[in-house]
Amino acid sequence: MRFRTKCMNSDMIYRHIAFFNDRDTPDITGKRNVHQFMDWANKVDPIISMDDDYIMCGRVAMLLRSLGNAFGMKLCISQYWKQEARKLLRENQHQHQQQQNQSFVPVA
C-alpha cells in the first residue's frame, strides 16, 4: 500500500496512520480536536497520496470511533484487527526477507 507525505516525516506518518486507523488520543492529536488535528497535520506534513484501501479503512475506523464517542466510549480500533495484522506480517515476513536479500549487493 502506498502512503506518501510531502516530507515523509516518520513521526507525522505515524500520527496520520494512527489517527485515521486507530485512535484520536492526546498522544496522537496533541489534545487537538479532529478538525484542529487535521489542519495542523496538513500544515506540518501534508499527505500527497494514499491508496484507496487506506482511505476506506480509515473511514470505517473513524465512523466506529465516532459511534463510540456518541455513547461515551473511547475506542482503540487497532485492537480489533491486531490478530489479522500479525497474521499478515507472519505470512509476508519470508517474502520481505527474500526481497531484502535480492536488493543487497555486496561490495568487493
Side-chain angles (χ1 to χ4, degrees):
M1 293 178 126
R2 290 169 296 175
F3 182 90
R4 298 203 45 83
T5 65
K6 183 177 181 181
C7 303
M8 293 303 287
N9 177 308
S10 60
D11 179 59
M12 289 306 297
I13 291 171
Y14 175 79
R15 288 174 186 259
H16 281 295
I17 298 298
F19 176 77
F20 286 115
N21 296 302
D22 186 30
R23 64 194 187 279
D24 53 10
T25 52
D27 63 310
I28 299 301
T29 64
K31 298 183 180 179
R32 297 169 182 89
N33 66 34
V34 172
H35 181 74
Q36 291 169 334
F37 173 77
M38 292 178 76
D39 283 348
W40 172 78
N42 194 44
K43 286 178 187 170
V44 174
D45 192 9
I47 297 170
I48 295 172
S49 66
M50 182 185 327
D51 277 355
D52 289 344
D53 292 334
Y54 274 133
I55 294 169
M56 184 55 73
C57 291
R59 179 186 161 118
V60 170
M62 290 185 75
L63 289 171
L64 288 172
R65 289 196 324 257
S66 296
L67 183 61
N69 285 341
F71 291 97
M73 301 166 56
K74 276 292 195 186
L75 299 177
C76 181
I77 302 300
S78 64
Q79 297 305 310
Y80 297 103
W81 50 265
K82 178 171 53 175
Q83 293 304 319
E84 290 299 318
R86 287 185 174 159
K87 179 182 171 187
L88 181 69
L89 289 172
R90 277 193 305 274
E91 290 172 356
N92 290 289
Q93 182 178 13
H94 180 70
Q95 179 183 358
H96 178 68
Q97 288 172 343
Q98 284 180 331
Q99 288 173 348
Q100 283 186 326
N101 290 339
Q102 290 172 356
S103 65
F104 176 72
V105 179
V107 178

